[in-house]
Amino acid sequence: MSENINHEIYTELANRIYDLDAEVYHVLGSSLGRTFTGNRDTTIRTLSMLMYTKPDGHLLRSELALISNMARTIKDPAEKSRLMTEYDEILKAIEQLPNMFGSTDILDAERAALNLAVRREKISENDHLVICISRTQGSAGNDIGFELADKLRINYYDVEIFDQVMKRLEAEKDNVQDKENFTDFNKYGKKTHESLKTKLKELNRYHGLSKQDAVFFNMSDLICELARTEDCLIMGRCADAILKNNHIPHISIFISAPFQVRTQHVMDVRNMDMKQAVRFLKKMDKQHKKYYEFYTGEKWGKPENYDLCINSANYGIKETIDVIKRLLNQQTQ
Amino acid sequence: MSENINHEIYTELANRIYDLDAEVYHVLGSSLGRTFTGNRDTTIRTLSMLMYTKPDGHLLRSELALISNMARTIKDPAEKSRLMTEYDEILKAIEQLPNMFGSTDILDAERAALNLAVRREKISENDHLVICISRTQGSAGNDIGFELADKLRINYYDVEIFDQVMKRLEAEKDNVQDKENFTDFNKYGKKTHESLKTKLKELNRYHGLSKQDAVFFNMSDLICELARTEDCLIMGRCADAILKNNHIPHISIFISAPFQVRTQHVMDVRNMDMKQAVRFLKKMDKQHKKYYEFYTGEKWGKPENYDLCINSANYGIKETIDVIKRLLNQQTQ
């Protein structure tokens, strides 16, 4: 029954599409000819099938785009408006059909619920604007993060600040002190340098964790605590993965630039020659990757692990900040 | 001489920073204590050095952020405003210093000149809004592209449309016909299936190019021609790399989603079971990668090769379109 109704709708729509193509061709007389070159009956059958079948339904979209691309070139405003209106109505009718192209969303509801850039308004008073920025060395990511936080008037945290805050928080407890800087991170290389005695001492001290892991878990707690209590921007520290795992809303952004541009930037900023800069960048990329993948199990710098990735070389510092602000627009208004 | 002047500025700024920290601490009485725990002279000397030396100048930024993070927690509005004003002034003065953090841009001027999302206005009448979208299979990239083009009222081109247009353009000339669909692309696997006779015949026909290459170069010409003459959105076809190489302004966007989410999407849209969907996605990812890297020499899907990468799973179709529209905001207004 409902299938019969659908068939009728399909045939009706197919007829309207066929007629629209004919009309556009009539008005334009395009040298490329009509979109549909077969006879009416065959074309109607084919179009109906496209509306009916998976996975080829998306081919209908291309046929429609081909007609509308042509219709948009019509010079006479009245004719153009008439035919584009008919096109819009056909498109709208097709979108109402079950299982038609574009009707199946890609949304990952659980993850999207954490994506602050999607939200139109704060969900609760306890909802904070938390921006996590990962960046490759030499992409000016820190400059961008610092200035963005300053423009948004929110707190800024980078590795040096975390080190300082952790030291102070833990000083009284004489507990974990984050002397373990990120730049020293070498999960695998380190093992050879540690004596068994040192290891056992540390395992004992940090409740069975290596000192490095203890530092990471304390850092994770601090990041969750910050994100729950204030608006802030956090540079690196796997903050995106930590907040995702703890179901705390945030925006995750990855900033990078082509290796060649980063090399030049490092040469400028760090007074290095090209050879030094290349060696430095390769080392830092490797450490970043290892650190992120060790603690998160996710790939560092893959677009599908962030809400957004930006190529800072194509914008420059000021424009990258502007792009992020435009992305947040609905949020900060 | 100019170095002496700088030294005086450094000392003056270091004193202001030290005093600001002391004042913030005085107002707040933070349990974390002051940012600077050393005595005045030592601290001033350290801060001056940070302003003077590379590459450690960026450490100063962390110290400043630490002070301003605390200052923002001051409850009394008048006190907060007074100290934040002093902070802003110090920051501005530091930014004026030569070679200070944030003063060396990451901009790749040549590439940025092609990035339409940077521009505030059209440069000339011949300047067109050209959006190139690359996407992974199953990320709903085509749905997003089609709907975005429709919303922006610009022409939409995908592989099926290119195939049709090319067929028509070439039909009269009985020249290259794009029966070579992207899905058939297998640059290396193909060689074993081709007889030497077929190869020679094709080489002859396409002026020394293989048929596949001839199709690609004709397609490239068509893409450049389109981008030079109209506003349009082009799906795939290495359009971003083609336009970049031909110095034609455009916006390049990469749309992807986690493999797991894409698998579910393909199962929904194409009526496949999980095993089929996974096999299909792996095959398509491999083909996309091979095609893009063969013709462009660039890595497919690396953030530094695009203006922007979006994770469609974290937004859904409608919101992804909205994000891109927000990115273009300045352009389309």
mmCIF file of all heavy atoms in Angstrom, chain A residues 194-206 208-209:
data_model
loop_
_atom_site.group_PDB
_atom_site.id
_atom_site.type_symbol
_atom_site.label_atom_id
_atom_site.label_comp_id
_atom_site.label_asym_id
_atom_site.label_seq_id
_atom_site.Cartn_x
_atom_site.Cartn_y
_atom_site.Cartn_z
ATOM 1 N N GLU A 194 66.956 4.129 33.438
ATOM 2 C CA GLU A 194 66.491 4.013 34.817
ATOM 3 C C GLU A 194 67.054 2.762 35.485
ATOM 4 O O GLU A 194 66.993 1.672 34.924
ATOM 5 C CB GLU A 194 64.969 3.914 34.828
ATOM 6 C CG GLU A 194 64.278 5.239 35.019
ATOM 7 C CD GLU A 194 62.763 5.058 34.966
ATOM 8 O OE1 GLU A 194 62.288 3.913 34.883
ATOM 9 O OE2 GLU A 194 62.069 6.078 34.996
ATOM 10 N N SER A 195 67.559 2.939 36.649
ATOM 11 C CA SER A 195 67.998 1.757 37.397
ATOM 12 C C SER A 195 66.758 1.096 37.989
ATOM 13 O O SER A 195 65.729 1.737 38.208
ATOM 14 C CB SER A 195 68.957 2.154 38.504
ATOM 15 O OG SER A 195 68.225 2.800 39.528
ATOM 16 N N LEU A 196 66.870 -0.177 38.252
ATOM 17 C CA LEU A 196 65.748 -0.916 38.823
ATOM 18 C C LEU A 196 65.360 -0.316 40.180
ATOM 19 O O LEU A 196 64.174 -0.192 40.500
ATOM 20 C CB LEU A 196 66.140 -2.388 38.989
ATOM 21 C CG LEU A 196 64.986 -3.318 39.397
ATOM 22 C CD1 LEU A 196 63.893 -3.322 38.329
ATOM 23 C CD2 LEU A 196 65.493 -4.735 39.603
ATOM 24 N N LYS A 197 66.353 0.113 40.904
ATOM 25 C CA LYS A 197 66.138 0.688 42.223
ATOM 26 C C LYS A 197 65.260 1.944 42.125
ATOM 27 O O LYS A 197 64.274 2.098 42.849
ATOM 28 C CB LYS A 197 67.503 1.049 42.832
ATOM 29 C CG LYS A 197 67.525 1.029 44.370
ATOM 30 C CD LYS A 197 68.945 1.246 44.864
ATOM 31 C CE LYS A 197 68.960 1.929 46.218
ATOM 32 N NZ LYS A 197 70.295 2.467 46.521
ATOM 33 N N THR A 198 65.638 2.849 41.212
ATOM 34 C CA THR A 198 64.864 4.084 41.005
ATOM 35 C C THR A 198 63.420 3.734 40.658
ATOM 36 O O THR A 198 62.477 4.329 41.164
ATOM 37 C CB THR A 198 65.456 4.900 39.830
ATOM 38 O OG1 THR A 198 66.864 4.903 39.961
ATOM 39 C CG2 THR A 198 64.913 6.307 39.818
ATOM 40 N N LYS A 199 63.280 2.755 39.766
ATOM 41 C CA LYS A 199 61.952 2.368 39.313
ATOM 42 C C LYS A 199 61.092 1.900 40.470
ATOM 43 O O LYS A 199 59.957 2.323 40.619
ATOM 44 C CB LYS A 199 62.083 1.225 38.300
ATOM 45 C CG LYS A 199 61.931 1.667 36.863
ATOM 46 C CD LYS A 199 61.683 0.433 36.008
ATOM 47 C CE LYS A 199 62.199 0.620 34.623
ATOM 48 N NZ LYS A 199 62.345 -0.663 33.927
ATOM 49 N N LEU A 200 61.637 1.017 41.274
ATOM 50 C CA LEU A 200 60.879 0.457 42.391
ATOM 51 C C LEU A 200 60.501 1.542 43.381
ATOM 52 O O LEU A 200 59.379 1.581 43.878
ATOM 53 C CB LEU A 200 61.706 -0.620 43.113
ATOM 54 C CG LEU A 200 61.745 -1.971 42.403
ATOM 55 C CD1 LEU A 200 62.699 -2.927 43.123
ATOM 56 C CD2 LEU A 200 60.341 -2.581 42.345
ATOM 57 N N LYS A 201 61.440 2.462 43.597
ATOM 58 C CA LYS A 201 61.195 3.569 44.507
ATOM 59 C C LYS A 201 60.013 4.407 43.995
ATOM 60 O O LYS A 201 59.126 4.786 44.757
ATOM 61 C CB LYS A 201 62.463 4.436 44.588
ATOM 62 C CG LYS A 201 62.723 5.038 45.969
ATOM 63 C CD LYS A 201 64.091 5.698 46.010
ATOM 64 C CE LYS A 201 63.988 7.192 46.160
ATOM 65 N NZ LYS A 201 65.257 7.872 45.840
ATOM 66 N N GLU A 202 60.043 4.673 42.698
ATOM 67 C CA GLU A 202 58.973 5.496 42.113
ATOM 68 C C GLU A 202 57.632 4.768 42.132
ATOM 69 O O GLU A 202 56.596 5.352 42.439
ATOM 70 C CB GLU A 202 59.331 5.882 40.683
ATOM 71 C CG GLU A 202 60.442 6.918 40.609
ATOM 72 C CD GLU A 202 60.433 7.653 39.293
ATOM 73 O OE1 GLU A 202 59.787 7.180 38.353
ATOM 74 O OE2 GLU A 202 61.058 8.720 39.221
ATOM 75 N N LEU A 203 57.656 3.496 41.785
ATOM 76 C CA LEU A 203 56.414 2.724 41.765
ATOM 77 C C LEU A 203 55.757 2.768 43.131
ATOM 78 O O LEU A 203 54.545 2.915 43.255
ATOM 79 C CB LEU A 203 56.696 1.274 41.381
ATOM 80 C CG LEU A 203 56.802 1.004 39.883
ATOM 81 C CD1 LEU A 203 57.170 -0.446 39.636
ATOM 82 C CD2 LEU A 203 55.485 1.336 39.182
ATOM 83 N N ASN A 204 56.578 2.649 44.149
ATOM 84 C CA ASN A 204 56.108 2.696 45.500
ATOM 85 C C ASN A 204 55.490 4.049 45.818
ATOM 86 O O ASN A 204 54.404 4.151 46.374
ATOM 87 C CB ASN A 204 57.310 2.461 46.428
ATOM 88 C CG ASN A 204 56.882 1.676 47.649
ATOM 89 O OD1 ASN A 204 55.837 1.019 47.608
ATOM 90 N ND2 ASN A 204 57.660 1.750 48.708
ATOM 91 N N ARG A 205 56.194 5.088 45.416
ATOM 92 C CA ARG A 205 55.798 6.441 45.757
ATOM 93 C C ARG A 205 54.502 6.842 45.063
ATOM 94 O O ARG A 205 53.663 7.516 45.626
ATOM 95 C CB ARG A 205 56.921 7.384 45.323
ATOM 96 C CG ARG A 205 56.738 8.769 45.888
ATOM 97 C CD ARG A 205 57.944 9.616 45.594
ATOM 98 N NE ARG A 205 57.786 10.925 46.149
ATOM 99 C CZ ARG A 205 58.476 11.974 45.740
ATOM 100 N NH1 ARG A 205 59.381 11.824 44.793
ATOM 101 N NH2 ARG A 205 58.281 13.149 46.287
ATOM 102 N N TYR A 206 54.356 6.430 43.799
ATOM 103 C CA TYR A 206 53.193 6.873 43.024
ATOM 104 C C TYR A 206 52.142 5.793 42.904
ATOM 105 O O TYR A 206 51.573 5.584 41.841
ATOM 106 C CB TYR A 206 53.655 7.379 41.654
ATOM 107 C CG TYR A 206 54.687 8.468 41.772
ATOM 108 C CD1 TYR A 206 55.930 8.357 41.171
ATOM 109 C CD2 TYR A 206 54.407 9.609 42.516
ATOM 110 C CE1 TYR A 206 56.868 9.359 41.288
ATOM 111 C CE2 TYR A 206 55.351 10.616 42.651
ATOM 112 C CZ TYR A 206 56.582 10.483 42.044
ATOM 113 O OH TYR A 206 57.499 11.472 42.177
ATOM 114 N N GLY A 208 52.026 2.600 42.545
ATOM 115 C CA GLY A 208 52.135 1.600 41.493
ATOM 116 C C GLY A 208 52.287 2.170 40.096
ATOM 117 O O GLY A 208 52.413 1.441 39.130
ATOM 118 N N LEU A 209 52.237 3.502 39.969
ATOM 119 C CA LEU A 209 52.413 4.128 38.655
ATOM 120 C C LEU A 209 53.867 4.576 38.508
ATOM 121 O O LEU A 209 54.523 4.895 39.488
ATOM 122 C CB LEU A 209 51.529 5.367 38.533
ATOM 123 C CG LEU A 209 50.022 5.158 38.547
ATOM 124 C CD1 LEU A 209 49.328 6.511 38.654
ATOM 125 C CD2 LEU A 209 49.578 4.430 37.290
#
